[in-house]
Amino acid sequence: MTLPDILTKAIDCLLIDNFDSFTWNLYQQLCLLGADVTVIRNDAIPASDLSQLNIRYLVISPGPGHPSTDSGISRDAIRYFMGKVPIFGVCMGLECIVDVFGGTIGYAGEIKHGKLSPIRHDGRGCFKDVPQSIMSTRYHSLSATLGTLPTELMVTCATEESGVIMGVRHREFLIEGVQYHPESILSEGGNALMGNFLKLRGGKWCENPGSLVLDVSLPPFPYEALKGRLEGSTETLEAIKSKTPTILEKIYAQRIKDVEQAKSTPGTTPGDIDTLLSLSLAPSLLPLVPRLKAKKPALMAEIKRASPSKGNIALNANAAQQVLTYALSGASVISVLTEPTWFRGSILDMRLARQAIDHLPNRPAILRKDFILDEYQIAEARLHGADTVLLIVAMLPIERLRQLYAYSLSLGMEPLVEVNNAREMGTALELGAKVIGVNNRNLHDFQVDMGTTSRLVDMVHSHDVVLCALSGISSPDDVRQYASQGVSAVLVGEALMRAKDTKTFIHELLDWPLPEQPAHTGATAATLVKICGIRTVEEANAAAQSGADMLGLMFVPKSKRFISLETAQEISSSIRSVRSAVPSTGQTTGPDGSSTGIGILNDTWFSTHARRLSDTLITHRPLLVGVFQNQPLSDILAAVTSVQLDLVQLHGAEPLEWSKYIPVPVIRAFHVSPNAAGSGVREIARPGLHQFVLLDSQRASDGLSGGSGNVVDWDLAREVVEAGEPGAGTNGEAVVNGESGVASSGKQRMPILLAGGLTPENVREAVDKVRPWAVDVSGGVESEDGKSKDLSKVDAFISAVKQGAGVGLAA
């Protein structure tokens, strides 16, 4: 292999990066001390190329995991350069040194992250002239164990409080390392320590008498500092015996560093997060417990791209798209993994997931599933839209668990507390947790035992607890068994991420019948008709008698169909007095799917509002629509109030956000250009603002629409209808995990109002071709002089539309 150019020259100090953010703090420290530092990742070159390097110093950086599996060429570099150049290791670097010479890295007996400990050292080598009892910043759960330390290595320092080994040194070669982080701003004596290292020359201590390492007149390291680690109780010996770190310990150690990195990044510091929360920038909360109790069993659907046990699952999954699919399929809670290294998630995934479902009337709760160890992560979760967070009993000391639980409650979030055995269940119950999840997967070895939940069910029967089964659930039999035992919710991740048809899989898994996609209900089975430009009470009543569903009242001053507020009030009063009072035929099966017995389901934004309006028309027809174009919001609000409008139509270039401030549903007009293909329909399916969309032909004079008499491009309108809404798939296909698959419930169209050049003669053709939810006409049903409605044309237009009942929203 040819070396990169940067490695072919003489290198002052080579820093091997074990994929750790602290590497750059170490780099800065060395540079400020005068070193010319070259950094390479631990997989940048093969070990066979080390012999081509010409270096003066070698530094091995911190890093996640275990030296035997996660350090790349670090150990090979130590082996090759020992005796040739000074070598220094930090944290993982020390562990690599111990591993190279045959020692064992094991559990330190305590987990420290961002904590300070005073250390006692021998005053030699890199510790020469460094004061005693300096404070060291610790980020580790592993350390060297004295019982397996090879004779070539000596202990140089340990914590005063617990005797954990904090430093080792080779007795002959210039090799030294520390377990703590001397590059941290909180570590005392760090610059002196690294400055001493950069003063070393050659490869052996005998070449550096000034280091005092071989000075026999000095007292040896005070091994009594480690006595408690060797002669403690049986429990102490068990705690410090050599062992390989578990997966949970590895993840925990890495998340410590991830959190510290986030906390130190400008813009995302704890102070920044607190300020953003104080500005009420966090999305609104949804209570977790009622959401889980609304169905039994409730589904907690998970976004999981990868895992330590299964590797890559669905790397191309789009979190927002997947979450919307889950929500529209009946999930009560959506769990978003935000751990980046092993699960390939991010806090951005969670934020976008929340945004994707915020417009739904009965959205699922959002769970931040991560390895929560700091209040910072909980505040971060709240800011980015979480309704709840996961707290893992196995990972947290009891007092720390209490602190994090209390902090989550202080932000309004009831946590999901995860347990794996009876002892942890006891801890969760003592904590007062309202939602407890039994993880069938042991996080230390990631083995799954589906009986774990069943064994712990009886412990919660006398408590007001929502019990959830987590992990390994993949079949209806699993769900039925847990439900029969009293389990209230199941969390499903991998099986959902691998499902080819997510919605069908969910309904089969939970024994839910697939709800039909109903067309418009009852008397509104045909495409709806809006007669616009009504000028008089007589026209309004005649149109209503002919079967119009909506009447448009024009408040645009420049329009020839403009009417005053007084006239509009007269029309409103008359229409309200003659509205149909047909009694309801009974409970309908609306988009909530309540008749299925599985509780309230969601539907896509525009379809939901289209069906609601259609149901309203069963007993309240016609509805009054006020039409405005680039008028002040205050004028619109005044008209809504004085005329008692049922809807508002914005037919200009008004800000989209105005829909939030208008107290009735809003129809938004999109101005379709006859000359530019696809022009005028950008983001037409954007949910969460206006409730309805209308396509009208653009005027050449001002780029707006209305009154031109030009026919909209029906092919384009058909494409808009067939494309559907976000969450309904593309061209009738459901999008699953970033790929398209066959939709489970048929094609669902985008409901639109079609306007522009419609007449009694062409409207039937338009309806058959475009299949709109509603049609809108004004000039096409007017008298020859254009001063009034031709009531015969109005009647003919409505008859032409209604003769083809059953268009609906689904094929």
Side-chain angles (χ1 to χ4, degrees), residues 483-735:
S484 69
Q485 295 168 350
V487 173
S488 299
V490 292
L491 186 146
V492 185
E494 180 187 346
L496 277 177
M497 297 301 292
R498 295 189 188 278
K500 296 298 183 184
D501 183 340
T502 306
K503 186 171 186 177
T504 297
F505 180 83
I506 286 175
H507 284 256
E508 291 176 351
L509 182 71
L510 278 296
D511 286 329
W512 295 344
L514 277 168
E516 297 180 0
Q517 292 288 359
H520 307 163
T521 58
T524 58
T527 298
L528 304 183
V529 175
K530 173 173 171 275
I531 304 297
C532 201
I534 296 292
R535 296 178 175 90
T536 66
V537 170
E538 292 73 25
E539 288 182 354
N541 289 334
Q545 186 66 33
S546 294
D549 301 293
M550 292 172 275
L551 303 179
L553 308 181
M554 187 66 64
F555 294 102
V556 181
K558 293 182 179 180
S559 172
K560 64 182 181 181
R561 303 178 184 97
F562 170 78
I563 59 174
S564 67
L565 286 178
E566 291 75 15
T567 300
Q569 289 169 342
E570 293 173 3
I571 293 173
S572 177
S573 177
S574 178
I575 287 297
R576 290 179 182 279
S577 68
V578 300
R579 270 182 177 168
S580 171
V582 177
S584 174
T585 58
Q587 182 179 0
T588 60
T589 303
D592 61 358
S594 57
S595 67
T596 65
I598 63 172
I600 298 174
L601 291 178
N602 287 296
D603 196 1
T604 50
W605 174 259
F606 294 105
S607 295
T608 294
H609 289 286
R611 290 193 176 100
R612 285 179 178 174
L613 188 142
S614 294
D615 287 342
T616 298
L617 289 170
I618 296 175
T619 56
H620 294 80
R621 176 188 287 113
L623 300 177
L624 296 175
V625 183
V627 182
F628 303 86
Q629 190 170 71
N630 294 340
Q631 291 157 259
L633 179 60
S634 58
D635 289 359
I636 298 173
L637 298 178
V640 170
T641 301
S642 64
V643 181
Q644 293 185 279
L645 296 174
D646 299 302
L647 296 95
V648 162
Q649 180 171 318
L650 298 179
H651 213 91
E654 299 85 358
L656 294 177
E657 289 74 16
W658 277 16
S659 298
K660 298 178 181 179
Y661 307 105
I662 297 174
V664 295
V666 173
I667 301 170
R668 180 84 191 190
F670 284 77
H671 317 294
V672 181
S673 170
N675 302 318
S679 174
V681 297
R682 185 173 64 87
E683 293 193 332
I684 193 170
R686 181 188 182 100
L689 295 169
H690 44 270
Q691 290 78 13
F692 308 96
V693 298
L694 179 147
L695 268 63
D696 200 354
S697 52
Q698 187 180 86
R699 298 192 298 251
S701 58
D702 56 8
L704 300 179
S705 61
S708 69
N710 296 324
V711 175
V712 166
D713 183 341
W714 290 350
D715 289 327
L716 173 61
R718 172 78 178 191
E719 290 175 9
V720 170
V721 170
E722 291 297 329
E725 301 180 58
T730 303
N731 294 327
E733 295 185 335
V735 183

Side-chain angles (χ1 to χ4, degrees), residues 18 27 44 99 155 178 273 435 490 555 575 712:
N18 285 300
Y27 168 86
D99 187 78
V155 176
V178 292
I273 300 295
V435 184
V490 292
F555 294 102
I575 287 297
V712 166

Side-chain angles (χ1 to χ4, degrees), residues 1-4 7 44-54 73 76 80-81:
M1 174 180 175
T2 303
L3 288 176
L7 299 181
I45 62 173
S48 58
D49 285 351
L50 291 169
S51 61
Q52 300 180 50
L53 302 181
N54 177 16
I73 63 169
D76 296 298
Y80 179 78
F81 289 111

Side-chain angles (χ1 to χ4, degrees), residues 711 714 754 758 762-772 775:
V711 175
W714 290 350
L754 180 67
L758 296 178
N762 68 8
V763 68
R764 183 70 253 160
E765 181 185 358
V767 169
D768 291 340
K769 183 168 186 175
V770 178
R771 304 189 69 125
V775 289

